[in-house]
Amino acid sequence: MFLLFEEAGKFMAGRVLSEADTSAQVELDSGKRVKVKAANFLLKFEKPTPAQFVLEAQALSQTIELELAWEFAPEEEFGFADLARDYFSLQATLSEQAGMLVRLFEAPHYFRRAGKGRFRKAPADIIALALAAIEKKKLIAQQTEQWVAELSQGNCPQPIRDQLYKILFKPDKNAPEYKAVVEASRATHLGPLELLIKAGAIDSPYQFHWKRFLLENFPKGVGFAKIDAPLIKDELPLSPARAFSVDDSATTEIDDALSVQGLGTGTVRLGIHIAAPGLAFQPGSPIDQLGRNRLSTVYTPGYKITMLPDEVVQNYTLMEGRDCPAVSLYVTLDEATLEIKNTETQLERVHIGANLRHDQLDAIVTTEWLEDPSFMHEMDPQPLQHKREQLSFLYRLANDLKAKREVVRGKPENFNRPDYNFKLIAAGPPQGDQAPSGGSGAHAVASVGATYLGNDGAEPQGTEQVQISTRQRGAPLDLIVSEAMILANSTWGSWMAELGVPGIYRSQASMLPGVKVRMGTRSLPHAGLGVKSYAWSSSPLRRYVDLVNQWQIIACARHGKTAALAAPFKPKDAELFSIISGFDAAYFAYNSFQGAMERFWTLKYVQQQGIVEIEATLFKDNLVRADHLPLVLPVMGAQGLPRGARVRVKLGDIDEVSLDVHGTVIERLDLPLETEAEIEADEEDDLTVAGPIAIAVDMSEPAADSLENGSNPAQAAADNPAP
């Protein structure tokens, strides 16, 4: 005797070896023996063989008209054998009964399952909805097949082009556009990104990177709703100091300025003045919400996305010729020894006498000009009139502060590599290799190693001419500003800690390899800078953590020893940890994008200049850094060469979408120039080595709606009828 039974939603048949009241031992055609519960018995039959019986049942099932079977079915619950006798005849054969079972089982939109071999007819309105859903899925499947064919032939359908970035980076894996890309990739044996590139889906590599970034970080766009910047209502005293800022030509978010008083008296009062938006609005205000959502300004060559609207920034920026509200740190020093005698913080207005632009003045403000009073240029530019003595003192102080930090740090800071200036020119050929100067537009000192100028504030199109020039790290004006900001951030960090006011700190436990800089709410040493405490506070118009710290510093200045009670953020405030977490994630994403776009424009420069070979230095296994470009790339042929070896590299093809370029070492130029320690110190700077773009298309998933993989479209339609 043979038995037809149901197991895990599948119909099986086999020979009965033994049977008890509650179960039976059954041998399948494969030879496997299974124990079947009596509740799962469906039909017993003597012939034909189990395999033949199942085939006959499946063939007969396809002859059954569902609409007619539904009409024959009773309103109450019924068994498949009962309906077979109503549909075929009172003497319905076992094969016909099995055929009815298969047909009912495959049509959940007509018949609901009510148990093993038992069913109930679905209401007519549900059937209509399910049939509409099935028809819709059928049409979608046909459309998907058409898109697969077009993609496989090298053409990108417009709906897929419109969904390109979502498909690659934030896909709806049930969407037909996504499924078409997956199926076409399988059919052509191409990766999804390679497939779409060949199909012409990516018109502009620049727009590919830009829109990908916007999708992931600014899905609602980069514009701001109109908002009014509140005025600072405090009656702030006017400082006797006359301050000046030092930035690039196009900087609009001028956060910091410096002043020097008392030169020649033996006691000098250094003023470090920070723009004070924290005096105008408080946490939770509409403007604060804008800053909290973005957390930082985003910088790329030729463009920036500001943390705050420009009309807000212009109310608080330290603009030349204005008396600007500021949070000022005054440092009293011995003019001869540069010993710090006292520090104090003032909330005040400061007159900004000049906005100096280092890209215009670096050639003038040189070490010789600062250290040798007898050295003269033919004529100093107007902005430098009457500032040489102040700048000379500030340069002497900066070198002293740096030297003292390096003692704590344990070794000198490494300035052996240059900064790179990027300048984009929208039309016309590049005007030689001169350093960018003048002009206006989107720009910022983005990070160590890059300065951006040009493009007149317009969003780049990816076709601009690129100029890249170099500027040695540690230029005098840079050193003056950076040391002053380190002094302010470390002094205010320690002051908040002394008063028990929480802040957002940056710390580094040691300079051992792999020990990273971390953000937290505790004042801890920063080994990399050589200071005992460090809290970003000097860029409140550009970084949200600086704005948070400014609110805390303002509370310290107003309330002194009771500041912890009045500060907006209290000790162990969960909001601070939330801000740190959000800032870390945003800052990493922004810096990654910045690095990717620097690489994009560098590769564009290589193409525009027709560069086919570069000189480079080996700094890791099979990785080199170009000597005269901000470019790191993998190479072949470097086996056996020591780190630090200088080589000539022949460049391969450039892929502007994956930002990939490989090279081949064709010549060893000389012996290593860098020490092992310098190489190790530099390794963590190189974050943007080319590699495959990380996409979210999962080729390992089974094909959607595939009957071969066990899914049932009719069941899916019945469970999710069309609206």
Side-chain angles (χ1 to χ4, degrees):
M1 180 180 290
F2 303 114
L3 177 67
L4 177 70
F5 62 93
E6 183 183 344
E7 187 73 33
K10 296 180 180 180
F11 298 127
M12 298 182 180
R15 183 166 62 91
V16 177
L17 299 177
S18 64
E19 185 178 355
D21 292 339
T22 59
S23 65
Q25 287 285 336
V26 177
E27 183 180 51
L28 303 179
D29 284 348
S30 64
K32 180 181 179 181
R33 297 184 178 186
V34 295
K35 182 180 180 181
V36 182
K37 294 180 180 178
N40 293 340
F41 294 2
L42 293 172
L43 285 173
K44 293 180 180 178
F45 58 98
E46 297 288 346
K47 59 180 181 179
T49 64
Q52 184 64 31
F53 184 79
V54 170
L55 288 174
E56 287 182 8
Q58 289 175 338
L60 276 168
S61 73
Q62 299 308 304
T63 68
I64 298 173
E65 297 182 23
L66 285 172
E67 295 85 352
L68 188 59
W70 186 83
E71 292 288 346
F72 276 110
E75 296 299 328
E76 65 276 7
E77 182 182 308
F78 61 90
F80 68 92
D82 299 326
L83 185 58
R85 283 186 281 270
D86 289 339
Y87 184 89
F88 290 106
S89 70
L90 288 175
Q91 290 76 37
T93 66
L94 292 178
S95 294
E96 289 172 334
Q97 293 177 35
M100 180 61 73
L101 172 65
V102 172
R103 190 62 164 155
L104 294 176
F105 193 83
E106 289 179 342
H109 48 305
Y110 277 94
F111 301 98
R112 301 292 190 185
R113 297 166 199 162
K116 301 294 183 181
R118 300 195 63 77
F119 299 86
R120 184 184 292 275
K121 66 191 295 185
D125 57 340
I126 296 297
I127 292 174
L129 290 174
L131 290 175
I134 291 171
E135 182 62 24
K136 181 179 178 181
K137 289 175 71 70
K138 181 179 177 182
L139 293 174
I140 290 174
Q142 291 173 350
Q143 180 66 82
T144 303
E145 289 178 7
Q146 181 181 337
W147 287 342
V148 169
E150 291 183 43
L151 286 168
S152 300
Q153 293 166 9
N155 299 312
C156 184
Q158 191 61 43
I160 291 178
R161 188 186 298 272
D162 293 341
Q163 295 289 319
L164 174 67
Y165 303 98
K166 283 191 65 177
I167 291 169
L168 289 175
F169 304 115
K170 287 193 173 181
D172 172 4
K173 296 186 178 182
N174 291 316
E177 295 86 355
Y178 174 86
K179 294 175 182 177
V181 170
V182 171
E183 292 305 319
S185 293
R186 289 174 173 151
T188 59
H189 305 289
L190 296 173
L193 185 57
E194 184 182 0
L195 170 79
L196 290 166
I197 292 172
K198 289 190 173 183
I202 300 173
D203 297 321
S204 162
Y206 177 84
Q207 287 297 314
F208 172 81
H209 296 295
W210 174 241
K211 290 181 179 178
R212 172 196 177 197
F213 174 72
L214 294 184
L215 175 69
E216 294 177 344
N217 297 278
F218 295 90
K220 296 181 180 179
V222 299
F224 291 99
K226 185 167 179 58
I227 192 168
D228 294 325
L231 299 175
I232 295 174
K233 298 178 180 178
D234 300 64
E235 290 294 330
L236 301 173
L238 180 63
S239 170
R242 292 295 179 264
F244 58 88
S245 65
V246 182
D247 295 279
D248 289 308
S249 289
T251 298
T252 55
E253 304 155 291
I254 303 175
D255 289 293
D256 55 82
L258 304 173
S259 66
V260 180
Q261 300 174 77
L263 286 174
T265 67
T267 300
V268 174
R269 196 176 195 223
L270 164 66
I272 303 171
H273 312 284
I274 307 301
L279 291 171
F281 55 88
Q282 296 300 308
S285 66
I287 296 180
D288 169 56
Q289 291 301 315
L290 294 180
R292 177 73 182 269
N293 287 336
R294 296 203 173 182
L295 294 164
S296 173
T297 292
V298 183
Y299 299 110
T300 71
Y303 201 61
K304 68 178 176 182
I305 304 171
T306 58
M307 182 179 79
L308 297 171
D310 187 63
E311 57 269 25
V312 171
V313 169
Q314 294 313 307
N315 276 271
Y316 315 120
T317 189
L318 302 182
M319 185 64 69
E320 178 179 297
R322 297 197 322 207
D323 297 336
C324 299
V327 178
S328 298
L329 175 67
Y330 287 102
V331 182
T332 304
L333 305 118
D334 184 292
E335 188 172 3
T337 66
L338 300 178
E339 178 187 356
I340 295 176
K341 296 182 176 181
N342 183 47
T343 61
E344 60 178 321
T345 299
Q346 298 287 341
L347 309 180
E348 60 185 6
R349 289 179 296 129
V350 179
H351 183 76
I352 307 300
N355 294 142
L356 303 184
R357 307 298 185 175
H358 73 67
D359 52 288
Q360 298 176 356
L361 300 176
D362 274 347
I364 306 297
V365 184
T366 61
T367 300
E368 189 174 14
W369 185 83
L370 291 165
E371 294 182 344
D372 182 0
S374 65
F375 177 82
M376 301 295 291
H377 295 294
E378 290 185 9
M379 183 177 67
D380 287 342
Q382 179 64 33
L384 291 182
Q385 298 292 324
H386 313 300
K387 292 184 177 60
R388 183 171 184 176
E389 186 179 9
Q390 295 179 46
L391 289 170
S392 295
F393 174 80
L394 289 171
Y395 185 60
R396 184 165 69 93
L397 174 63
N399 278 301
D400 183 73
L401 292 170
K402 179 174 179 289
K404 290 174 179 175
R405 287 193 302 104
E406 288 178 343
V407 170
V408 178
R409 192 173 183 269
K411 60 181 178 180
E413 291 178 322
N414 188 1
F415 286 161
N416 67 318
R417 300 214 314 270
D419 287 342
Y420 289 96
N421 302 323
F422 288 80
K423 183 175 182 180
L424 307 185
I425 302 172
Q431 304 298 312
D433 294 328
Q434 71 274 15
S437 62
S440 63
H443 131 281
V445 177
S447 64
V448 174
T451 301
Y452 308 145
L453 291 167
N455 216 41
D456 295 324
E459 180 185 327
Q461 299 303 303
T463 57
E464 289 79 359
Q465 287 287 332
V466 190
Q467 290 183 4
I468 300 178
S469 58
T470 59
R471 177 166 167 263
Q472 188 59 39
R473 291 186 184 184
L477 284 174
D478 275 349
L479 185 65
I480 288 170
V481 174
S482 64
E483 289 299 328
M485 297 309 114
I486 292 172
L487 177 60
N489 291 333
S490 59
T491 301
W492 277 330
S494 296
W495 189 40
M496 286 191 291
E498 289 168 8
L499 295 177
V501 174
I504 298 178
Y505 293 89
R506 292 177 67 79
S507 63
Q508 187 179 16
S510 76
M511 292 186 64
L512 293 173
V515 179
K516 304 287 187 180
V517 175
R518 300 189 179 277
M519 299 188 74
T521 59
R522 295 178 59 198
S523 174
L524 297 170
H526 193 306
L529 291 175
V531 295
K532 67 176 184 179
S533 179
Y534 195 70
W536 266 345
S537 313
S538 56
S539 295
L541 297 175
R542 294 186 274 191
R543 281 191 307 243
Y544 189 72
V545 293
D546 298 56
L547 179 59
V548 168
N549 283 336
Q550 185 173 90
W551 280 317
Q552 303 296 86
I553 292 166
I554 289 171
C556 293
R558 285 174 171 166
H559 302 282
K561 293 182 179 180
T562 62
L565 301 174
F569 300 95
K570 304 299 188 288
K572 298 182 180 179
D573 193 328
E575 196 70 8
L576 282 179
F577 294 100
S578 174
I579 291 168
I580 290 171
S581 175
F583 181 84
D584 271 341
Y587 210 59
F588 177 81
Y590 297 171
N591 281 343
S592 296
F593 178 63
Q594 172 191 316
M597 297 319 296
E598 288 176 9
R599 186 174 183 87
F600 172 84
W601 289 111
T602 300
L603 295 177
K604 180 70 75 174
Y605 176 84
V606 168
Q607 291 175 320
Q608 291 173 354
Q609 300 297 320
I611 297 172
V612 295
E613 294 180 2
I614 60 171
E615 295 180 1
T617 301
L618 186 69
F619 74 100
K620 275 186 179 180
D621 292 342
N622 300 318
L623 284 176
V624 300
R625 182 190 303 111
D627 291 345
H628 307 297
L629 286 173
L631 182 62
V632 170
L633 68 153
V635 295
M636 297 184 294
Q639 293 81 358
L641 296 179
R643 293 196 304 173
R646 293 190 63 248
V647 293
R648 188 182 306 282
V649 174
K650 183 178 181 180
L651 299 178
D653 293 335
I654 290 174
D655 187 330
E656 293 182 6
V657 174
S658 68
L659 301 178
D660 194 15
V661 61
H662 288 71
T664 304
V665 174
I666 57 175
E667 183 182 358
R668 171 76 183 275
L669 296 178
D670 56 16
L671 296 175
L673 297 179
E674 292 182 313
T675 67
E676 195 77 7
E678 287 172 332
I679 296 167
E680 290 176 358
D682 284 348
E683 281 182 359
E684 292 189 6
D685 288 348
D686 297 289
L687 302 177
T688 317
V689 178
I693 294 291
I695 62 174
V697 179
D698 188 353
M699 297 300 295
S700 65
E701 291 184 344
D705 293 342
S706 172
L707 286 171
E708 288 76 15
N709 285 277
S711 67
N712 188 327
Q715 177 69 56
D719 294 339
N720 300 282

